[in-house]
Amino acid sequence: MAINRINELFGITRPIISGGMVWCSGWRLAAAVSSAGGLGLIGAGSMHPETLREHIAKCRAALGGKPFGVNVPLMYPQIDEVMDIIVSEGVRIVFTSAGNPKTWTKHLQEHGIKVAHVIASTKFARKCDEAGVDAIVAEGFEAGGHNGKEETTTMCLIPAIRRVTDRPLIAAGGIASGAAMLASFALGAEGVQVGTRFALTAESSAHEAFKQHCLGLGEGDTRLLLKKVSPTRLAKGHFMTQVEEAEDAGATAEQLKDLLGKGRAKRGIFEGDLEQGELEIGQAAAMIDHIETAAEVVEDMVGEYNRLLNGLDRTNF
């Protein structure tokens, strides 16, 4: 693969980034992706501040100088403490999401940190431009977990974002193959962020029961629900059925919040409670049927990308 702006920005050889997924993206997954030439992200959203500090230290020790980053949802309740840890630990790359990019971008950049921000609309792409982020992650609604309210697919979102900004652009949402990466690049992306496929790798910290459940999902076995609270893509299971029934009955936002409660994502993804847990995964799960290592995922995606690129029909129409 040719070197592009994403490679140069983050100091990586493969423009493949692992999503900073709650309860999946610990230091082992981040280190494995970075070791394979991509960019591994530690997911701070499901970590206490001192747990994050521990994961940063372990990831740095495992990589011996190779780059890695931290994903921080800006709604995190102890955001000031987390940002202080990131700066004091010398993290060089931060991906922010779920908030205004203007809030922390300049502060992080003043400490020598590259900042990418995750968005789902052209409106927020413009806000990223105003904030001066180093890169934009455009995430379509095929993605697992929390999604944009616009429900724009990745293949529609990437060209729309490219029309309004010339910043380095990373495609996310439904990206689980070299073919999807090639399609994203054709539409204007220069890198891809992969969540679901890395969530189901050997190094993911997700529970084995959760992984096996997701490996058995087919087309249509995930749905975007909880739109009155925060649009979230869920996998089929007892909790998804509860949410569907509540929404069909006209549940209010407060009633849905009560149903959601606290700790359901941890219970489902990290603890493997398939009955009462919240099972968050993307549509791409239907394409995955076995556990791989993170390195195998990177090599497979790069190999498929190169084969397809080299095999394209060069006929002019």
Side-chain angles (χ1 to χ4, degrees):
M1 300 184 71
I3 297 297
N4 65 24
R5 292 192 296 175
I6 293 299
N7 297 85
E8 293 174 343
L9 179 65
F10 299 131
I12 57 180
T13 58
R14 274 81 179 268
I16 297 173
I17 297 147
S18 61
M21 302 164 286
V22 294
W23 306 115
C24 295
S25 299
W27 72 268
R28 290 183 178 85
L29 178 56
V33 174
S34 290
S35 293
L39 179 67
L41 298 182
I42 297 170
S46 53
M47 297 182 182
H48 295 297
E50 287 308 312
T51 303
L52 174 61
R53 190 189 297 276
E54 177 185 343
H55 279 253
I56 291 171
K58 288 181 176 179
C59 195
R60 180 185 294 112
L63 286 172
K66 287 186 177 180
F68 69 96
V70 175
N71 180 83
V72 184
L74 296 178
M75 66 175 81
Y76 189 95
Q78 295 166 279
I79 188 73
D80 290 354
E81 188 175 351
V82 163
M83 291 303 190
D84 285 346
I85 288 172
I86 285 170
V87 170
S88 66
E89 289 293 329
V91 173
R92 289 272 130 328
I93 300 167
V94 169
F95 279 48
T96 55
S97 60
N100 188 340
K102 291 183 179 180
T103 310
W104 286 98
T105 294
K106 291 302 179 187
H107 173 79
L108 293 169
Q109 289 173 336
E110 286 169 0
H111 288 88
I113 298 171
K114 302 295 185 185
V115 179
H117 189 71
V118 183
I119 52 92
S121 69
T122 55
K123 173 184 175 181
F124 280 96
R126 292 187 176 96
K127 289 183 179 293
C128 286
D129 260 342
E130 294 168 5
V133 301
D134 296 289
I136 293 172
V137 181
E139 184 176 78
F141 97 129
E142 299 95 322
H146 296 286
N147 266 271
K149 295 181 179 179
E150 296 80 8
E151 298 188 27
T152 306
T153 66
T154 302
M155 293 296 106
C156 290
L157 183 62
I158 299 306
I161 300 298
R162 180 44 80 211
R163 282 201 300 268
V164 301
T165 179
D166 62 358
R167 293 185 186 273
L169 181 59
I170 300 163
I175 311 295
S177 65
M181 181 161 63
L182 182 59
S184 300
F185 279 32
L187 293 173
E190 298 159 84
V192 292
Q193 181 170 281
V194 177
T196 292
R197 193 167 176 186
F198 282 128
L200 304 180
T201 58
E203 295 89 350
S204 164
S205 53
H207 195 281
E208 186 65 20
F210 169 80
K211 293 179 186 179
Q212 292 301 322
H213 179 78
C214 291
L215 291 175
L217 297 174
E219 294 177 20
D221 284 343
T222 70
R223 286 197 61 192
L224 193 64
L225 299 169
L226 296 168
K227 297 176 186 178
K228 293 179 182 178
V229 180
S230 176
T232 308
R233 183 167 297 282
L234 303 176
K236 72 174 183 180
H238 180 69
F239 179 64
M240 189 181 92
T241 300
Q242 284 185 298
V243 173
E244 287 180 313
E245 291 175 350
E247 291 186 344
D248 289 344
T252 65
E254 286 304 313
Q255 288 172 326
L256 290 171
K257 287 179 182 177
D258 288 341
L259 175 61
L260 182 60
K262 293 184 178 180
R264 276 198 189 266
K266 179 182 180 182
R267 195 183 308 174
I269 300 170
F270 191 68
E271 297 175 354
D273 184 344
L274 304 182
E275 284 295 311
Q276 297 302 320
E278 181 181 356
L279 310 177
E280 301 179 6
I281 202 72
Q283 287 183 330
M287 300 167 56
I288 305 165
D289 60 9
H290 65 286
I291 302 291
E292 303 169 281
T293 67
E296 287 171 339
V297 170
V298 173
E299 292 302 325
D300 180 71
M301 289 185 65
V302 170
E304 183 179 54
Y305 173 97
N306 287 328
R307 288 192 303 274
L308 291 172
L309 180 63
N310 293 333
L312 283 177
D313 187 348
R314 306 298 181 179
T315 303
N316 293 320
F317 293 99

